[in-house]
Amino acid sequence: MRPPTRISAHPRNPYEELAQLADPEPDFSVYDPKDPLELGLTSDPDDDDWTPPNHRGKSRFAALPAVVKLTAAAVLCTLCLLLADRLAEYYAQSRAADKIQKSLGLATRPDVDIHGFPFLTQLLDERIDRVDVTVPDVSADRVSLAEVRATAKDVRIVGDAPTSIKGAVIGDLDGEVLLSFDDLNRELGASQLKFTGSGADAVRVNGELAVAGQDLRVQAQAHIQRDNERSLTTTLDGMQLDIPRVATYRPGTDPKHSGLRLHREAAERISSEGARLKALLAVPAIVDRLGVPREYVRRALRSEEELHRLTSAPKFIERLMKVNLVDVVLEHPQLLRKVGIDPGVVEALLALKPPELSERLSLSFELPRSLKELRLQHITVERDGIKARVVGAGLRIGQSGGS
């Protein structure tokens, strides 16, 4: 039998029952910020300075030792300084070439090579140790110098280096000039001459020279010498001018080597033609120089047989070729035409004096007046031309002012 149900004197509150069924309130007094979900996951006490992980990893440069970093920085700085030094030198060489070309009035821009390292320290000191200069094609009187090479030492810069350089003063200069045979042949080509070396101080001249409208073959030897240490002059000897197939003229006062003498071809032609030969034999001066007795000559003039006998004698042609016709021609101008020689050409030849011929065949040159501090030394004739050493001191380039 079920026990009887008791009825409480105080009826239950339904809200209280619901409250008992709800979750308990959290206890914030034991809250751990490192484990907010109370999962029991605690962090290491040494991880207070935690940072997010670097998924890219460390840079390679940062991983290098400090000594390597310093070495790399030093090398980079050195390369930058070296590049700056080379660029400054290149710029200075270009400006120097412009200054030299302008101050000396050169037609061709020179090549300038500055020596010494580093350059910037020399520039700041306003003094360059050494500069090599090559100037092609320098005008020098009648001809031009093929090349001038010079080494300048102790070059003092004039102006405010490096920003405002006005010029320079060369303490000492030593170089070489070349008078090329190729240039001589081209520049004096109007006379159709060719120059070649013929010894330490001599130049052989061959070619043609126009005289009285006719081209005569010319040969000569020019000896080179200095004149006042500023110019080069020549003296000619062994000169001869040939009238083709007729005669050779050698100017001068020596009777053994100078004068007008027939070529073999002309002598043989005259000796084979009775009329021309008789015209020569009619001149006593020629008879005397032939060394033939006058009696033989008188018989030859009267008899063709005797004339033939005379001309066929041994060495008659050689004797006729040795006769100097210069004074004979002057005394008997009509004789030239009788023996088949153009008198106009011979007269023009005889009118040419050695000084005039020397001028026409001259190899002379003088250093430019703007280079008054320079002097020529040790002139020699070599295979490619005439070379001379050039020296000087205190040469001023550009607006160099006083020393």
Side-chain angles (χ1 to χ4, degrees), residues 112-166:
V112 178
D113 185 12
I114 299 177
H115 292 260
F117 180 81
F119 168 72
L120 289 175
T121 57
Q122 297 183 80
L123 184 62
L124 294 176
D125 191 40
E126 296 185 351
R127 216 170 261 281
I128 306 298
D129 295 334
R130 172 185 167 189
V131 180
D132 290 342
V133 181
T134 302
V135 186
D137 192 21
V138 179
S139 177
D141 201 9
R142 296 182 61 209
V143 296
S144 63
L145 302 176
E147 187 178 69
V148 177
R149 292 180 177 270
T151 296
K153 296 181 179 179
D154 189 23
V155 181
R156 180 171 59 85
I157 297 175
V158 177
D160 298 327
T163 57
S164 178
I165 299 177
K166 298 179 181 180

Side-chain angles (χ1 to χ4, degrees), residues 226-297:
R226 284 185 299 143
D227 184 15
N228 298 327
E229 296 185 335
R230 291 279 304 159
S231 60
L232 178 151
T233 58
T234 56
T235 57
L236 295 176
D237 59 20
M239 183 186 300
Q240 67 179 45
L241 296 97
D242 294 334
I243 306 173
R245 303 175 58 192
V246 177
T248 295
Y249 173 62
R250 293 183 175 88
T253 58
D254 185 356
K256 291 184 177 181
H257 301 94
S258 62
L260 180 67
R261 290 175 171 82
L262 295 173
H263 289 172
R264 175 175 292 276
E265 182 178 357
E268 291 176 348
R269 185 172 59 250
I270 292 173
S271 63
S272 64
E273 298 179 7
R276 293 183 177 181
L277 182 57
K278 288 180 179 179
L280 281 178
L281 296 177
V283 179
I286 293 180
V287 174
D288 293 339
R289 295 172 187 180
L290 280 172
V292 180
R294 291 195 176 185
E295 182 62 29
Y296 290 177
V297 173

Side-chain angles (χ1 to χ4, degrees), residues 120-390:
L120 289 175
T121 57
Q122 297 183 80
L123 184 62
L124 294 176
D125 191 40
E126 296 185 351
R127 216 170 261 281
I128 306 298
D129 295 334
R130 172 185 167 189
V131 180
D132 290 342
V133 181
T134 302
V135 186
D137 192 21
V138 179
S139 177
D141 201 9
R142 296 182 61 209
V143 296
S144 63
L145 302 176
E147 187 178 69
V148 177
R149 292 180 177 270
T151 296
K153 296 181 179 179
D154 189 23
V155 181
R156 180 171 59 85
I157 297 175
V158 177
D160 298 327
T163 57
S164 178
I165 299 177
K166 298 179 181 180
V169 179
I170 299 175
D172 181 64
L173 184 140
D174 192 343
E176 182 182 78
V177 299
L178 170 64
L179 182 60
S180 170
F181 288 139
D182 290 339
D183 289 342
L184 286 174
N185 296 336
R186 182 182 65 254
E187 295 176 358
L188 301 180
S191 299
Q192 300 178 357
L193 300 176
K194 183 177 181 180
F195 299 87
T196 56
S198 180
D201 66 341
V203 177
R204 184 180 295 109
V205 185
N206 294 278
E208 293 183 345
L209 193 66
V211 177
Q214 185 172 347
D215 290 335
L216 307 184
R217 289 193 300 268
V218 59
Q219 297 180 20
Q221 193 170 50
H223 293 276
I224 311 300
Q225 60 186 13
R226 284 185 299 143
D227 184 15
N228 298 327
E229 296 185 335
R230 291 279 304 159
S231 60
L232 178 151
T233 58
T234 56
T235 57
L236 295 176
D237 59 20
M239 183 186 300
Q240 67 179 45
L241 296 97
D242 294 334
I243 306 173
R245 303 175 58 192
V246 177
T248 295
Y249 173 62
R250 293 183 175 88
T253 58
D254 185 356
K256 291 184 177 181
H257 301 94
S258 62
L260 180 67
R261 290 175 171 82
L262 295 173
H263 289 172
R264 175 175 292 276
E265 182 178 357
E268 291 176 348
R269 185 172 59 250
I270 292 173
S271 63
S272 64
E273 298 179 7
R276 293 183 177 181
L277 182 57
K278 288 180 179 179
L280 281 178
L281 296 177
V283 179
I286 293 180
V287 174
D288 293 339
R289 295 172 187 180
L290 280 172
V292 180
R294 291 195 176 185
E295 182 62 29
Y296 290 177
V297 173
R298 283 194 292 267
R299 289 202 301 262
L301 293 176
R302 292 193 301 263
S303 170
E304 294 293 333
E305 183 179 353
E306 293 293 332
L307 182 63
H308 176 71
R309 184 179 299 171
L310 175 63
T311 56
S312 60
K315 298 184 179 179
F316 178 80
I317 299 299
E318 284 74 10
R319 289 180 177 181
L320 185 57
M321 291 172 57
K322 293 180 180 179
V323 175
N324 186 357
L325 301 176
V326 169
D327 53 350
V328 176
V329 168
L330 294 177
E331 296 176 1
H332 306 274
Q334 75 283 358
L335 182 62
L336 291 175
R337 202 173 297 278
K338 289 182 179 180
V339 298
I341 300 176
D342 183 357
V345 175
V346 175
E347 290 174 3
L349 272 178
L350 299 181
L352 286 175
K353 303 301 181 184
E356 182 180 349
L357 285 173
S358 298
E359 175 64 23
R360 298 182 69 173
L361 304 179
S362 175
L363 310 178
S364 304
F365 75 84
E366 183 178 1
L367 290 173
R369 295 181 180 179
S370 56
L371 303 176
K372 60 183 180 179
E373 296 87 356
L374 299 184
R375 298 291 183 270
L376 291 173
Q377 292 183 353
H378 307 308
I379 299 174
T380 59
V381 178
E382 300 186 6
R383 182 175 182 180
D384 53 349
I386 303 170
K387 291 185 179 180
R389 184 185 176 194
V390 58

